[in-house]
Coordinates of all heavy atoms in Angstrom, one line a residue:
L1 N 48.8 -18.1 -117.9 CA 48.1 -19.4 -118.2 C 47.8 -20.1 -116.9 O 46.7 -20.7 -116.7 CB 49.0 -20.3 -119.1 CG 48.4 -21.6 -119.6 CD1 47.2 -21.4 -120.3 CD2 49.4 -22.4 -120.4
G2 N 48.7 -20.1 -115.9 CA 48.4 -20.7 -114.6 C 47.2 -20.0 -113.9 O 46.4 -20.7 -113.3
M3 N 47.1 -18.7 -114.0 CA 46.0 -18.0 -113.3 C 44.7 -18.5 -114.0 O 43.7 -18.7 -113.3 CB 46.2 -16.5 -113.5 CG 45.0 -15.7 -112.9 SD 45.0 -14.0 -113.4 CE 44.7 -14.1 -115.2
L4 N 44.7 -18.5 -115.3 CA 43.4 -18.9 -116.0 C 43.0 -20.4 -115.7 O 41.9 -20.7 -115.4 CB 43.6 -18.7 -117.5 CG 43.7 -17.3 -117.9 CD1 44.0 -17.2 -119.4 CD2 42.5 -16.4 -117.5
L5 N 44.0 -21.3 -115.6 CA 43.7 -22.7 -115.3 C 43.3 -22.8 -113.9 O 42.3 -23.6 -113.6 CB 45.0 -23.5 -115.6 CG 45.4 -23.7 -117.0 CD1 46.6 -24.6 -117.1 CD2 44.3 -24.2 -117.9
E6 N 43.9 -22.1 -113.0 CA 43.4 -22.2 -111.6 C 42.1 -21.6 -111.4 O 41.3 -21.9 -110.5 CB 44.4 -21.4 -110.7 CG 45.8 -22.2 -110.5 CD 46.7 -21.4 -109.6 OE1 46.9 -20.2 -109.8 OE2 47.2 -22.1 -108.6
G7 N 41.7 -20.7 -112.3 CA 40.4 -20.1 -112.2 C 39.3 -20.9 -112.8 O 38.1 -20.5 -112.8
G8 N 39.6 -22.1 -113.4 CA 38.6 -23.0 -113.9 C 38.4 -22.9 -115.4 O 37.5 -23.6 -115.9
I9 N 39.3 -22.2 -116.1 CA 39.2 -22.1 -117.6 C 39.9 -23.3 -118.2 O 41.0 -23.6 -117.7 CB 39.7 -20.8 -118.1 CG1 39.0 -19.6 -117.5 CG2 39.7 -20.7 -119.6 CD1 39.5 -18.3 -117.9
A10 N 39.3 -23.9 -119.2 CA 40.0 -25.1 -119.8 C 41.2 -24.6 -120.6 O 41.4 -23.4 -120.9 CB 39.0 -25.7 -120.8
L11 N 42.1 -25.6 -120.9 CA 43.4 -25.2 -121.4 C 43.3 -24.5 -122.8 O 44.0 -23.5 -122.9 CB 44.2 -26.5 -121.6 CG 45.6 -26.4 -122.2 CD1 46.5 -25.4 -121.4 CD2 46.3 -27.7 -122.3
I12 N 42.6 -25.0 -123.7 CA 42.5 -24.5 -125.0 C 41.9 -23.0 -125.0 O 42.5 -22.1 -125.6 CB 41.8 -25.4 -126.0 CG1 42.5 -26.7 -126.1 CG2 41.7 -24.7 -127.4 CD1 43.9 -26.6 -126.6
P13 N 40.8 -22.8 -124.4 CA 40.3 -21.4 -124.3 C 41.3 -20.5 -123.5 O 41.4 -19.3 -123.9 CB 39.0 -21.6 -123.5 CG 38.5 -23.0 -123.7 CD 39.8 -23.8 -123.8
A14 N 42.0 -21.0 -122.5 CA 43.0 -20.2 -121.8 C 44.1 -19.8 -122.8 O 44.5 -18.6 -122.7 CB 43.5 -21.0 -120.6
M15 N 44.5 -20.7 -123.6 CA 45.6 -20.4 -124.6 C 45.1 -19.4 -125.6 O 45.9 -18.5 -126.1 CB 46.1 -21.6 -125.2 CG 46.8 -22.6 -124.3 SD 47.3 -24.2 -125.1 CE 48.6 -23.6 -126.1
D16 N 43.9 -19.4 -126.0 CA 43.3 -18.4 -126.9 C 43.2 -17.0 -126.2 O 43.4 -16.0 -126.9 CB 41.9 -18.8 -127.3 CG 41.9 -20.0 -128.2 OD1 42.9 -20.2 -128.9 OD2 40.9 -20.8 -128.2
T17 N 43.0 -17.0 -124.9 CA 42.8 -15.7 -124.2 C 44.1 -15.0 -124.0 O 44.1 -13.7 -124.0 CB 42.2 -16.0 -122.8 OG1 40.9 -16.7 -123.0 CG2 41.9 -14.7 -122.1
I18 N 45.2 -15.7 -123.8 CA 46.4 -15.0 -123.4 C 47.3 -14.5 -124.5 O 48.4 -14.0 -124.3 CB 47.3 -16.0 -122.5 CG1 47.8 -17.2 -123.4 CG2 46.6 -16.4 -121.3 CD1 48.7 -18.1 -122.6
G19 N 46.7 -14.6 -125.7 CA 47.5 -14.1 -126.9 C 47.8 -12.6 -126.8 O 48.8 -12.1 -127.3
E20 N 47.0 -11.8 -126.1 CA 47.2 -10.4 -126.0 C 48.3 -10.0 -125.0 O 48.8 -8.9 -125.1 CB 45.9 -9.7 -125.5 CG 45.5 -10.1 -124.1 CD 44.4 -9.2 -123.6 OE1 43.8 -8.4 -124.4 OE2 44.3 -9.2 -122.4
V21 N 48.8 -10.8 -124.1 CA 49.7 -10.5 -123.1 C 51.1 -11.0 -123.5 O 52.0 -10.8 -122.7 CB 49.3 -11.0 -121.7 CG1 48.0 -10.4 -121.3 CG2 49.3 -12.5 -121.7
V22 N 51.3 -11.6 -124.6 CA 52.6 -12.2 -124.9 C 53.1 -11.5 -126.2 O 52.3 -10.9 -127.0 CB 52.6 -13.7 -125.1 CG1 52.3 -14.4 -123.8 CG2 51.6 -14.1 -126.2
S23 N 54.3 -11.6 -126.5 CA 54.9 -11.0 -127.7 C 54.4 -11.8 -129.0 O 54.0 -12.9 -128.9 CB 56.4 -11.0 -127.7 OG 56.9 -12.4 -127.7
P24 N 54.5 -11.1 -130.2 CA 54.1 -11.8 -131.4 C 54.8 -13.1 -131.6 O 54.2 -14.1 -132.1 CB 54.4 -10.8 -132.5 CG 54.3 -9.5 -131.8 CD 54.8 -9.7 -130.4
T25 N 56.1 -13.2 -131.3 CA 56.8 -14.4 -131.5 C 56.3 -15.6 -130.6 O 56.0 -16.7 -131.1 CB 58.3 -14.2 -131.1 OG1 58.9 -13.2 -132.0 CG2 59.1 -15.5 -131.3
V26 N 56.1 -15.3 -129.3 CA 55.5 -16.3 -128.4 C 54.1 -16.6 -128.8 O 53.6 -17.7 -128.7 CB 55.5 -15.7 -126.9 CG1 54.8 -16.7 -126.0 CG2 57.0 -15.6 -126.5
R27 N 53.3 -15.6 -129.3 CA 51.9 -15.8 -129.7 C 51.9 -16.8 -130.8 O 51.0 -17.7 -130.9 CB 51.3 -14.5 -130.1 CG 49.8 -14.6 -130.4 CD 49.2 -13.3 -130.9 NE 49.5 -12.3 -129.9 CZ 50.2 -11.1 -130.3 NH1 50.5 -10.9 -131.5 NH2 50.4 -10.2 -129.4
K28 N 52.8 -16.7 -131.8 CA 52.9 -17.6 -132.9 C 53.2 -19.0 -132.5 O 52.6 -20.0 -132.9 CB 53.9 -17.1 -133.9 CG 54.0 -18.0 -135.2 CD 55.0 -17.4 -136.1 CE 55.2 -18.3 -137.4 NZ 56.2 -17.7 -138.3
R29 N 54.2 -19.1 -131.6 CA 54.5 -20.5 -131.1 C 53.4 -21.1 -130.2 O 53.2 -22.3 -130.2 CB 55.8 -20.4 -130.2 CG 57.1 -20.0 -131.1 CD 58.3 -19.8 -130.2 NE 59.5 -19.5 -131.0 CZ 60.6 -19.2 -130.5 NH1 60.8 -19.2 -129.2 NH2 61.7 -18.9 -131.3
L30 N 52.7 -20.2 -129.5 CA 51.6 -20.7 -128.6 C 50.5 -21.2 -129.5 O 49.9 -22.3 -129.2 CB 51.1 -19.5 -127.8 CG 50.1 -19.9 -126.7 CD1 50.8 -20.8 -125.6 CD2 49.6 -18.6 -126.0
L31 N 50.2 -20.6 -130.6 CA 49.2 -21.1 -131.6 C 49.6 -22.4 -132.1 O 48.8 -23.4 -132.2 CB 49.0 -20.1 -132.7 CG 48.0 -20.5 -133.8 CD1 46.6 -20.7 -133.2 CD2 48.0 -19.4 -134.9
Q32 N 50.9 -22.6 -132.5 CA 51.3 -23.9 -133.0 C 51.3 -25.0 -131.9 O 50.9 -26.1 -132.2 CB 52.7 -23.8 -133.5 CG 52.8 -22.8 -134.7 CD 54.3 -22.5 -135.1 OE1 55.2 -22.8 -134.4 NE2 54.5 -22.0 -136.3
A33 N 51.6 -24.6 -130.6 CA 51.5 -25.5 -129.5 C 50.1 -25.9 -129.3 O 49.8 -27.1 -129.0 CB 52.1 -24.9 -128.3
K34 N 49.1 -25.0 -129.4 CA 47.7 -25.3 -129.2 C 47.3 -26.4 -130.3 O 46.5 -27.3 -129.9 CB 46.9 -24.1 -129.3 CG 45.4 -24.3 -129.0 CD 44.6 -23.1 -129.3 CE 44.4 -22.9 -130.8 NZ 43.4 -21.8 -131.2
N35 N 47.7 -26.2 -131.5 CA 47.3 -27.1 -132.5 C 47.9 -28.5 -132.2 O 47.2 -29.6 -132.5 CB 47.8 -26.7 -133.9 CG 47.2 -25.4 -134.3 OD1 46.0 -25.1 -134.0 ND2 47.9 -24.6 -135.2
V36 N 49.1 -28.6 -131.7 CA 49.7 -29.9 -131.3 C 49.0 -30.5 -130.2 O 48.7 -31.7 -130.2 CB 51.2 -29.7 -131.0 CG1 51.8 -31.0 -130.5 CG2 52.0 -29.2 -132.2
I37 N 48.6 -29.7 -129.2 CA 47.8 -30.2 -128.0 C 46.5 -30.8 -128.5 O 46.0 -31.8 -128.0 CB 47.7 -29.1 -127.0 CG1 49.0 -28.7 -126.3 CG2 46.7 -29.5 -125.9 CD1 49.0 -27.5 -125.4
Q38 N 45.8 -30.1 -129.4 CA 44.5 -30.6 -129.9 C 44.6 -31.9 -130.6 O 43.6 -32.6 -130.7 CB 43.9 -29.5 -130.8 CG 43.4 -28.3 -130.0 CD 42.9 -27.2 -131.0 OE1 43.4 -27.0 -132.0 NE2 41.8 -26.5 -130.5
S39 N 45.8 -32.2 -131.1 CA 46.0 -33.5 -131.7 C 46.3 -34.6 -130.7 O 46.5 -35.8 -131.1 CB 47.2 -33.4 -132.7 OG 48.4 -33.2 -132.1
G40 N 46.3 -34.3 -129.4 CA 46.5 -35.3 -128.4 C 47.8 -35.3 -127.7 O 48.1 -36.2 -126.8
V41 N 48.7 -34.4 -128.0 CA 50.0 -34.4 -127.4 C 50.0 -33.6 -126.0 O 49.3 -32.6 -125.9 CB 51.0 -33.6 -128.3 CG1 52.4 -33.5 -127.7 CG2 51.1 -34.4 -129.6
P42 N 50.7 -34.1 -125.0 CA 50.6 -33.4 -123.7 C 51.2 -32.0 -123.8 O 52.0 -31.7 -124.7 CB 51.5 -34.3 -122.8 CG 51.5 -35.6 -123.4 CD 51.4 -35.4 -124.9
L43 N 50.8 -31.2 -122.8 CA 51.2 -29.8 -122.8 C 52.7 -29.6 -122.7 O 53.3 -28.8 -123.5 CB 50.6 -29.1 -121.6 CG 51.0 -27.6 -121.3 CD1 50.6 -26.7 -122.5 CD2 50.5 -27.1 -120.0

């Protein structure tokens, strides 16, 4: 996620991109965290 953000990719698209490099458990939690962030909660 840090590499993508430093490369100029926005947070939400970056979170969508990294689903393939994490485990299914982390991927599920990451999706839930993305939904929370989209509601206005800090990362």
